[in-house]
Amino acid sequence: MRSVNRREIGMMLLKYGDDILHSGGMEREKEYMQHGAVSVYHHSVSVAYVSLYLARRFDIQVDEKALVRGALLHDYFLYDWHVPDPAHRLHGFLHAKRALKNAIRDFDLGPIERDIIRKHMFPLNLAAPKYPESVLVCIADKLCAVGETLSLPASLALWA
């Protein structure tokens, strides 16, 4: 394990994901709640941060740009899944596919980003992640979701 400069991670999120972070779709994500009192936008940023943190902490060789971009877009489904609507049924099973469709429409994505978005709900969705980046986002998503649901402090102290 190696030490990680958390400020540098934040800078990498901006370097690789600035266009995503300032897009109209991500602005919409700020209006939708994900877990507890955390918006989809903040959840997505947290997952990108934790994914990059884990890759660096455990010295896992990844395409950092693809990792950040896929993580930021992993929940790019662009609706409030808490609102009763037949289209939101089975959200846990279907939102990854919807997020990928929206992300392909709005951004130029490579195969790693596509795999991250499509497979971040493994094992709920049966298709297993193909790339190390996809595995990291899948893990980071679960860690962040648990922390958000339980209203744990938004720091990485638990994993550092």
Side-chain angles (χ1 to χ4, degrees):
M1 287 197 299
R2 68 178 188 176
S3 64
V4 178
N5 182 325
R6 294 175 187 205
R7 185 169 184 268
E8 185 178 317
I9 290 176
M11 292 171 55
M12 298 312 283
L13 293 183
L14 291 174
K15 177 181 177 182
Y16 296 136
D18 189 59
D19 62 322
I20 294 170
L21 290 167
H22 293 97
S23 69
M26 290 299 275
E27 284 298 316
R28 285 177 56 195
E29 282 192 357
K30 291 177 181 179
E31 301 170 19
Y32 307 137
M33 289 298 109
Q34 182 70 324
H35 307 111
V38 177
S39 71
V40 177
Y41 176 90
H42 285 99
H43 168 75
S44 298
V45 171
S46 294
V47 169
Y49 186 97
V50 171
S51 297
L52 190 52
Y53 174 89
L54 292 172
R56 289 185 174 201
R57 178 76 174 180
F58 296 104
D59 205 21
I60 301 168
Q61 299 303 305
V62 295
D63 177 334
E64 289 188 343
K65 182 177 181 180
L67 176 68
V68 167
R69 295 178 71 76
L72 288 173
L73 294 168
H74 81 280
D75 277 339
Y76 197 68
F77 46 83
L78 303 178
Y79 59 85
D80 185 348
W81 63 274
H82 299 91
V83 173
D85 183 321
H88 303 167
R89 291 190 62 221
L90 302 175
H91 170 79
F93 294 96
L94 301 176
H95 79 270
K97 190 180 288 188
R98 291 176 181 160
L100 179 58
K101 180 181 174 186
N102 291 337
I104 289 170
R105 180 194 66 215
D106 294 348
F107 302 98
D108 183 29
L109 303 177
I112 296 172
E113 292 100 331
R114 290 171 186 241
D115 195 69
I116 289 169
I117 298 165
R118 180 69 182 100
K119 298 177 181 172
H120 79 274
M121 287 301 292
F122 181 79
L124 190 58
N125 295 142
L126 297 178
K130 180 177 180 180
Y131 302 99
E133 294 86 349
S134 307
V135 173
L136 284 168
V137 171
C138 190
I139 292 167
D141 183 44
K142 301 331 177 246
L143 290 172
C144 291
V146 168
E148 293 160 7
T149 300
L150 299 177
S151 299
L152 298 176
S155 74
L156 293 177
L158 298 172
W159 307 298

